[in-house]
């Protein structure tokens, strides 16, 4: 025999299998450890703290769950949010995340491990990322083999596209949702392969968990029916498809309606109708198959086809009719914005104003996925090569997710798993081809000799161990030639290579040098990938954004803790019922850290209420004051980055406030008023509406005094601010944090003497009123 | 659309074809499958009654209707799955599902389904 390198031939097959499975377990363990460890940058660089905005709400809700129990949490009415409306929290959230943390908390406490709920919340996402790696391994194993599974697990473990949503402290729904997504898909594939109602039921149960955890469950609701429909249209209907889909849909849909926030949507909204339609279609097709088994008349089958088509048409018309009559809600706005990227900006500014709803810029594909993004198409092509039912799933998933990831930044998250899976398939095919010791000039060799290579590379041993089984399966085809030919020339040559099986021997991998050249290249790519992932994770995705870091000229780290400083000031110095008004971004943080009622928060369900805040911020003091008083506002909190150059501040978000307010009061607020000849300025040239707006005044109040008579500079906008700053009559400054990031103003009560606040203020400052009649009358009297 | 009789009549107008179908069904189907089929017919009838009640009388406790109707639909598809899994003709398709395992799957699926049904009845 000819082999490129010698292999030990005295090993029994059981030893090989046992060693391979042991190595797999060790590798999976290491991958999990790496996945968890790389997410801990945030804890090490900063501290164990909840990040960003939404996680603060989840954390607050989890604290309620942990301290008061599940029923209290389920029925929780929060009077402090959306003052004065309040919010029925139990019915308006996806409770899966909090329930998971609550279960872990109670479990650990039952074991007498007094772990703080905050630490559970902070570390939940890294923990689940290890589970995601495992689920991806199982999923990819169904696509190719265990070695591809291990690669996929390693990829998903450290890929930045997933880390961006799952660093320690990023306690958000996505933290557990990606695991559930992958596991549901895995069980679906398994159910489809085996035709097992058991796996269908498991898929339904995990689907239920997913529905309870993340609004992105709609992705599954449409992916699985799409897959089933494509199989059906390709003439691949089998009883296994029927069993898998029916058991998943019947149980899963009923289960999803148990979540109060979802409610009757699965039978009422258009997003869910595709699944129902495919379900009905499958029933008809299955029944048709049953009839065909008993009647073999050709004419009868034609009739049957007509019946199926007419039933489908009637069903589709029925759904359209029901939508028309209003029984089924049409697509929601958020859904439209997926198809028409300009839709949200035109009709729902509140959706467009969220930065993660913007279309993705192309560099972020590389940033988030590195070399996986160009292995991804190769993997998809390899899927076309075999094109079993489960490969179709990866192809459809890849196409859909690529589109959605291009439309919305946050949907990069759903693209990441399929990229990892198909890149792993591609890379593992490459490794298989070049690690295979068979030389091409020999006829197909005996399989007993292909035993694992004692290699330093962790993945290569399972790879070649796997080879044994694979070779047995494909005994007919010459392994090296076939695999390589397909890899190089893709779909087109696949059929050709298979046909000229004897000629394929002439093509192939000769000698060790070619193998080393390719393998070293691949290993080099993998190493760069690891370096890139570590760098991106530590630099871009590990900032809590509650605490900011800046580096001094000598490289020392300087923490900017203005947010917490201000929130704790509120907590300590204001009555517990003091209502704080701020832009909605900071609502959850105020509720979570300062524990004060807020007017609006990140759960943007009430557009009018948000527009009210926008109007108050963007109109003059005289207009704003009644609004503030009517809503019992005691404090107004704004974020101002002009002093230290923090660009995510309220002046930069101000135009969104204007736009949202304009959507409700088009005749009072107009966006063009805030521009000076098309330019957005804050300096002397700023437009009058801008200069009079409450937001402008609050931001630059006393700002120029800081510069001691010099020209004041706004470091974010890079513009000179007027020497004479704005004056405030209805508000007074209550607190400004160290770096001026957070400024809090107290709303003055009505003047006790009944004057309007402007003249009262003027009197207090000792300014004389305009000389007018009363004075002259007094003179006349004397 | 379940029992061989019910929806057949709507799609075909030739009564001869139906009678052929019926005869071939009666003669070729094993008794076990006929037993399952009778259960399927019963489930369809119960589903139809519930649906008619919802349309004609009231859908007021909508969750209760949904629970009952999904119970019928779910039980129907689970039983139909069982039927296709134990059907000797489908043996090559279900290599990994023996009839015993098919029944265990069926039982588990039904338990999970009715757990949610009871939870949703309200």
């Amino acid at each position: 025999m000819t082999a490129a390198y010698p292999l030990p031939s005295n090993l029994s097959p059981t030893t090989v299998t046992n060693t391979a499975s042991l190595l797999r377990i060790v590798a999976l363990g290491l991958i999990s450890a790496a996945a968890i460890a790389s997410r801990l940058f945030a804890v090490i660089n900063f501290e164990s703290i909840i990040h960003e905005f939404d996680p603060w709400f989840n954390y607050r809700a989890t604290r309620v769950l942990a301290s008061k129990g599940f029923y209290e949490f389920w029925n929780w009415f929060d009077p402090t949010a959306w003052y004065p409306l309040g919010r029925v929290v139990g019915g308006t959230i996806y409770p899966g995340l909090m329930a998971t943390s609550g279960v872990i908390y109670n479990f650990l406490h039952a074991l007498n491990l007094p772990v703080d709920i905050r630490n559970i919340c902070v570390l939940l996402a890294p923990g689940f990322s290890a589970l995601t790696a495992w689920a991806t391994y199982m999923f990819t194993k169904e696509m190719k083999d265990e070695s591809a599974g291990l690669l996929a697990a390693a990829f998903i473990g450290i890929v930045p596209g997933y880390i961006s949503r799952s660093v320690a402290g990023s306690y958000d729904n996505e933290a557990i949702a990606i695991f559930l997504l992958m596991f549901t898909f895995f069980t679906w594939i398994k159910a489809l392969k085996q035709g097992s109602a058991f796996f269908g039921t498991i898929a339904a149960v995990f689907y239920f968990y997913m529905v309870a955890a993340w609004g992105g469950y709609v992705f599954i609701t449409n992916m699985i029916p799409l897959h089933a429909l494509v199989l059906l249209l390709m003439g691949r209907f089998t009883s296994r498809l029927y069993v898998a889909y029916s058991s998943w849909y019947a149980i899963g849909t009923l289960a999803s309606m148990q979540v109060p926030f979802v409610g009757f949507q699965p039978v009422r909204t258009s997003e869910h109708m595709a699944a129902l339609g495919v379900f009905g279609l499958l029933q008809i097709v299955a029944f048709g198959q049953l009839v065909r088994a008993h009647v073999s008349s050709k004419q009868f089958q034609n009739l049957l086809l007509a019946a199926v088509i007419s039933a489908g048409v009637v069903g589709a018309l029925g759904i359209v009719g029901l939508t028309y009559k209003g029984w089924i809600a049409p697509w929601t706005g958020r859904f439209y914005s997926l198809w028409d990227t300009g839709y949200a900006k035109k009709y729902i500014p509140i959706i467009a104003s969220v930065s993660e709803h913007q279309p993705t810029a192309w560099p972020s594909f590389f940033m988030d996925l590195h070399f996986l993004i160009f292995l991804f198409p190769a993997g998809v092509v390899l899927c076309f090569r075999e094109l079993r039912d489960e490969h179709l799933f990866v192809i459809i998933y890849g196409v859909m997710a690529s589109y959605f990831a291009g439309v919305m930044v946050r949907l990069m998250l759903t693209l990441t798993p399929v990229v990892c899976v198909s890149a792993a398939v591609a890379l593992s095919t490459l490794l298989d081809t070049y690690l295979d010791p068979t030389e091409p000039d020999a006829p197909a060799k005996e399989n007993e000799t292909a035993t694992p290579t004692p290699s330093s590379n962790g993945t290569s041993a399972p790879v070649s161990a796997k080879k044994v089984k694979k070779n047995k399966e494909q005994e007919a085809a010459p392994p090296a030639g076939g695999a390589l030919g397909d890899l190089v020339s893709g779909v087109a040559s696949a059929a050709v290579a298979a046909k000229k099986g004897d000629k394929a021997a002439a093509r192939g991998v000769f000698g060790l040098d070619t193998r080393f050249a390719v393998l070293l290249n691949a290993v080099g790519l993998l190493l760069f990938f690891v370096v890139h992932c570590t760098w991106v994770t530590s630099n871009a995705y590990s900032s809590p954004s509650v605490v900011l870091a800046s580096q001094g000229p000598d490289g020392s780290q300087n923490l900017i803790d203005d947010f917490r400083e201000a929130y704790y000031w509120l907590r300590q110095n204001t009555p517990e019922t003091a209502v704080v008004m701020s832009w909605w971004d900071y609502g959850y943080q105020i509720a979570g850290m300062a524990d004060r009622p807020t007017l609006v928060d990140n759960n943007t369900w009430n557009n009018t209420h948000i527009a009210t805040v926008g109007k108050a911020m963007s109109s003059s003091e005289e207009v704003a004051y009644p609004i503030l008083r009517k809503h019992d506002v005691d404090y107004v909190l704004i974020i101002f980055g002009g002093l230290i150059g923090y660009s995510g501040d309220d002046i930069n978000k101000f135009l969104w406030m204007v736009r949202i307010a304009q959507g409700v009061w088009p005749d009072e607020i107009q966006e063009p008023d805030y521009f000076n000849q098309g330019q957005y300025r804050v300096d002397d040239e700023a437009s009058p509406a801008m200069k009079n707006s409450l937001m402008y005044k609050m931001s630059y109040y006393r700002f120029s005094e800081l510069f001691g008579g010099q020209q004041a500079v706004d470091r974010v906008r890079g513009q000179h601010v007027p020497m004479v700053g704005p004056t405030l009559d209805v508000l007074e400054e209550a607190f400004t944090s160290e770096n001026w990031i957070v400024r809090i103003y107290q709303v003055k009560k009505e003047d006790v003497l009944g004057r309007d606040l402007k003249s009262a203020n003027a009197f207090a400052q000792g300014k004389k009123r305009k000389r007018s009649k009363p004075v002259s009358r007094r003179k006349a009297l004397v | 659309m379940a029992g061989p009789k019910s929806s057949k009549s709507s799609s075909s107008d030739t009564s001869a074809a139906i009678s052929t179908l019926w005869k071939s069904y009666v003669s070729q189907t094993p008794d076990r499958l006929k037993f399952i089929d009778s259960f399927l017919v019963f489930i369809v009838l119960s589903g139809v009654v519930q649906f008619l009640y919802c349309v004609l009388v009231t859908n007021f406790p909508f969750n209760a209707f949904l629970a009952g109707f999904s119970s019928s639909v779910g039980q129907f598809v689970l039983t139909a799955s069982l039927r296709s899994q134990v059907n000797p003709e489908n043996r090559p398709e279900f290599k990994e599902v023996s009839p015993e395992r098919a029944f265990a799957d069926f039982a588990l699926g039904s338990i999970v389904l009715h757990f949610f049904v009871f939870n949703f009845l309200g």
Side-chain angles (χ1 to χ4, degrees), chain A residues 643-759:
Chain A
L643 183 63
I644 59 155
Y646 171 64
S647 63
D649 68 350
D650 277 347
I651 289 284
N652 275 0
K653 291 172 184 169
F654 185 48
L655 283 179
W656 286 112
M657 305 182 201
V658 173
R659 277 175 207 149
I660 291 170
Q662 185 184 358
V664 178
W665 291 280
D667 45 348
E668 289 180 60
I669 309 278
Q670 269 110 25
E671 191 182 344
D673 292 350
Y674 294 84
F675 289 101
N676 181 7
Q677 286 159 358
Q679 282 183 308
Y680 183 59
R681 311 183 67 136
V682 296
D683 54 7
D684 281 324
E685 309 278 302
S687 69
M690 181 78 190
K691 276 191 169 171
N692 285 325
S693 69
L694 206 58
M695 175 56 73
Y696 180 89
K697 285 189 168 182
M698 285 191 292
S699 291
Y700 295 105
Y701 182 65
R702 296 183 65 202
F703 181 60
S704 53
E705 289 173 27
L706 267 185
F707 291 78
Q710 307 247 313
Q711 182 85 32
V713 181
D714 181 323
R715 294 219 175 94
V716 176
R717 265 74 45 181
Q719 294 177 8
H720 292 283
V721 180
M723 295 288 281
V724 183
T727 54
L728 283 168
D729 289 321
V730 302
L731 302 171
E732 60 187 346
E733 185 178 5
F735 176 81
T736 296
S737 63
E738 188 186 350
N739 297 298
W740 282 51
I741 289 184
V742 186
R743 309 196 68 180
I744 300 171
Y745 290 85
Q746 187 166 20
V747 180
K748 286 185 193 165
K749 299 280 184 279
E750 274 87 2
D751 188 61
V752 280
L753 297 179
R755 300 167 295 182
D756 65 298
L757 284 167
K758 192 163 186 171
S759 47

Side-chain angles (χ1 to χ4, degrees), chain A residues 340-564:
Chain A
D340 176 8
T341 44
Y343 179 88
K345 202 164 184 175
K346 268 182 276 173
Y347 300 106
I348 344 171
I350 197 139
I351 291 183
S353 75
V354 181
S355 64
E356 60 186 25
H357 290 169
Q358 306 296 326
T360 317
W362 69 265
S364 67
F365 280 98
F366 183 77
M367 166 105 163
D368 279 357
L369 300 166
H370 196 241
F371 84 117
L372 301 181
I373 194 66
F374 52 81
L375 276 183
F376 167 50
V380 172
V381 166
L382 286 171
C383 284
F384 266 112
R385 224 187 80 211
E386 279 191 73
L387 212 60
R388 293 200 304 267
D389 292 352
E390 60 266 30
H391 294 123
L392 267 175
F393 185 78
V394 171
I395 295 166
I396 300 169
Y397 182 6
V399 171
M400 298 303 286
S402 306
Y403 174 75
F404 289 137
V407 173
M408 235 188 232
V409 175
R410 73 186 304 199
L411 293 181
M412 185 69 104
L413 192 64
T414 52
L415 175 67
T416 306
V418 72
V419 167
C420 289
V421 168
S422 77
V425 168
L427 194 68
S428 128
T429 312
L430 181 88
L431 291 178
D432 280 357
T433 311
Y434 285 89
L435 283 175
D436 186 6
T438 325
E439 287 279 313
D441 50 349
K445 269 297 147 193
E446 297 318 307
N447 303 310
E448 294 80 43
T449 56
T451 41
T453 49
S455 160
S456 57
N457 188 342
T459 53
S460 72
V463 167
S464 40
K466 205 54 227 131
K467 208 85 249 122
V468 181
K469 212 171 117 199
K470 210 182 159 196
N471 282 359
K472 269 178 199 154
E473 286 165 3
Q474 311 179 330
E475 205 142 12
L484 179 80
D486 292 346
L487 182 73
V488 172
S489 46
V491 205
S493 76
V496 185
K499 246 184 261 171
K500 51 176 183 183
D502 51 342
K503 269 200 238 165
R507 309 185 340 196
V509 192
F510 292 92
L512 279 174
D513 46 355
T514 34
R515 287 171 214 271
F516 270 119
V518 173
L519 290 179
L520 283 180
N521 196 8
V523 171
L525 271 182
L526 288 173
L527 287 178
F528 276 116
F529 176 63
V530 172
V531 171
H532 173 85
C533 289
T534 315
W535 180 81
V536 170
T537 306
S538 65
N539 282 294
Y541 289 143
S542 292
S543 164
S545 88
V546 174
V547 185
L548 306 167
S550 70
Q551 281 199 331
D554 55 345
S556 62
Q557 201 181 39
N558 184 21
L559 291 182
I560 299 169
D561 210 355
D562 280 37
F563 288 100
R564 286 196 291 180

Side-chain angles (χ1 to χ4, degrees), chain A residues 52-70:
Chain A
E52 300 204 314
F53 307 107
D54 286 14
W56 275 99
F57 170 76
N58 298 332
Y59 172 52
R60 184 158 158 256
T62 312
R63 266 194 327 214
V64 171
L65 172 64
S67 59
K68 294 186 181 163
F70 191 75

Side-chain angles (χ1 to χ4, degrees), chain A residues 190-191 193-199 201-202 204-205 208 237-259 263-264 267-268 279-280 283-284 287-295 299-300 303-304 306-308 310 327, chain B residues 1-8 11-14 17-18 20-21 24-26 28-29 37 59 62-63 66-67 70-71 73-78 80-85 87 89-90 93-97 101-102 105-106 108-110 112-114 116-117 119-120:
Chain A
K190 198 85 182 163
K193 266 184 153 179
Q194 295 191 356
S196 147
F198 169 72
F199 277 106
T201 310
I202 300 287
V205 170
F208 165 64
F237 175 82
T238 56
S239 304
R240 283 175 287 136
L241 175 65
Y242 176 83
V243 171
Y245 189 83
S246 300
S247 52
W248 168 74
Y249 181 78
I251 299 176
T253 306
L254 179 65
S256 68
M257 287 190 280
Q258 316 295 314
V259 180
F264 298 140
V267 291
R268 282 272 172 86
F279 180 69
Q283 306 302 322
I284 297 169
F287 181 64
Q289 293 271 338
L290 183 72
V291 173
R292 194 183 300 170
H294 290 289
V295 180
Q299 178 195 22
F300 203 81
L303 267 177
L304 206 71
V308 166
S310 59
W327 280 41
Chain B
M1 57 184 160
K5 271 196 297 181
S6 54
S7 78
K8 198 69 253 129
S11 64
S12 134
D13 35 27
T14 49
I18 299 172
T20 348
L21 176 66
S24 123
Y25 172 77
V26 170
Q28 287 175 9
T29 314
D37 284 341
N59 69 354
F62 192 49
N63 56 330
L66 274 182
S70 324
S71 155
V73 172
Q75 196 60 62
F76 175 82
V77 294
L78 285 173
S81 302
L82 176 69
R83 186 193 191 281
S84 68
Q85 280 169 334
N87 194 345
E89 288 165 22
N90 287 343
E93 261 193 49
F94 295 99
K95 290 190 197 81
E96 299 188 44
V97 184
R101 175 161 168 206
D105 285 2
F106 168 74
L108 177 86
S110 306
V112 173
L113 174 76
H114 282 95
F116 286 120
V117 167
N119 191 29
F120 206 41

